[in-house]
Amino acid sequence: MENPILLTWLNDFIFCPASIYFHNLYGDSDRISFQERSQINGTAAHSAIDTGNYSTRKNIICSMMVYSQKYGLLGKIDIFDTSNGKLVERKKHIQTIYDGYVFQLYGQCVAMREMGYDVKSLAIYSLDDNKSYPVLLPENDPDMFEKFKNLITDIKKFNLIGFKQTNDKKCRRCIYEPLCDSSLL
Ligand code: SF4
């Protein structure tokens, strides 16, 4: 069996494929020493969920590991409400719904469905301003779903050797820049 693709990579890969290498190398615990304040806040926003403290309501499932054999994806969901089939990913502050956010939700959705859960709707929730952004289900947005599948293929084929970053703005915002041989700075 191929190594699974972590759901967090779907967003990281779009930002920069090389960042996945550093994310793996340093993991989530060491990551904090490289993180900017805003990213640490975002991580803290997830901490209640990651420790399973978000809700004691029986219909709410938090921070559950999910796996899709079909797509080779592994990761955690954020919140799933079994009473209405709504799957939600919370972010600290949302200014733009990036494709990577949608693909992470798609990954959660296909994995949940393979595991037998009836996912009926998707949303991304911005904690700072209490806004919810609905996301179309994969079957209702074929173009995005095709991009999602292509992204998985690209991640499987990616080889760090020979990779060249072309956008120096990304390197300026990147927490791994001091360590990265591919940096343009
Ligand atoms: S420094 Fe640049 S090339 Fe290196 S991981 Fe960050 S964004 Fe990618």
Side-chain angles (χ1 to χ4, degrees), residues 15-16 18-19 22 163 165 170-171 174 177 180 182-183:
F15 174 71
C16 173
S19 71
F22 292 108
F163 167 73
Q165 176 57 273
K170 291 194 173 185
C171 297
C174 178
E177 193 282 323
C180 181
S182 304
S183 169

Side-chain angles (χ1 to χ4, degrees), residues 15-22 160 163-185:
F15 174 71
C16 173
S19 71
I20 291 178
Y21 168 79
F22 292 108
L160 185 61
F163 167 73
K164 291 206 186 334
Q165 176 57 273
T166 55
N167 184 346
D168 65 347
K169 287 186 187 140
K170 291 194 173 185
C171 297
R172 286 183 205 290
R173 289 169 41 217
C174 178
I175 56 178
Y176 302 117
E177 193 282 323
L179 311 166
C180 181
D181 285 344
S182 304
S183 169
L184 292 174
L185 304 189

Side-chain angles (χ1 to χ4, degrees), residues 22-170:
F22 292 108
H23 193 158
N24 285 348
L25 200 61
Y26 293 99
D28 285 334
S29 56
D30 290 333
R31 185 179 190 170
I32 203 152
S33 56
F34 298 103
Q35 279 180 317
E36 295 170 357
R37 185 179 299 274
S38 60
Q39 289 171 296
I40 291 170
N41 283 343
T43 306
H46 269 262
S47 63
I49 289 174
D50 288 342
T51 54
N53 293 331
Y54 173 72
S55 173
T56 54
R57 282 162 55 200
K58 285 201 169 51
N59 55 307
I60 301 293
I61 299 173
C62 303
S63 192
M64 181 176 75
M65 288 299 296
V66 292
Y67 175 63
S68 163
Q69 187 168 25
K70 181 170 180 185
Y71 296 100
L73 296 171
L74 178 72
K76 275 185 185 174
I77 64 153
D78 203 346
I79 303 170
F80 181 65
D81 187 338
T82 57
S83 69
N84 58 15
K86 188 170 184 177
L87 182 61
V88 178
E89 170 74 16
R90 304 193 314 172
K91 303 280 182 197
K92 166 76 177 149
H93 186 79
I94 292 176
Q95 287 175 313
T96 308
I97 302 291
Y98 293 109
D99 285 358
Y101 295 172
V102 174
F103 297 148
Q104 276 183 300
L105 257 182
Y106 278 9
Q108 294 174 17
C109 175
V110 295
M112 290 287 282
R113 285 174 167 174
E114 267 186 53
M115 293 166 70
Y117 292 92
D118 188 11
V119 181
K120 293 179 179 160
S121 66
L122 307 175
I124 298 172
Y125 181 76
S126 176
L127 285 161
D128 275 351
D129 48 11
N130 196 27
K131 281 189 185 162
S132 184
Y133 300 87
V135 172
L136 289 174
L137 289 164
E139 62 269 31
N140 294 333
D141 194 341
D143 288 346
M144 274 305 267
F145 194 42
E146 199 56 35
K147 285 185 191 171
F148 166 79
K149 290 185 278 188
N150 290 339
L151 174 64
I152 292 170
T153 304
D154 289 345
I155 294 174
K156 286 180 180 165
K157 286 193 306 198
F158 178 72
N159 188 342
L160 185 61
I161 296 166
F163 167 73
K164 291 206 186 334
Q165 176 57 273
T166 55
N167 184 346
D168 65 347
K169 287 186 187 140
K170 291 194 173 185

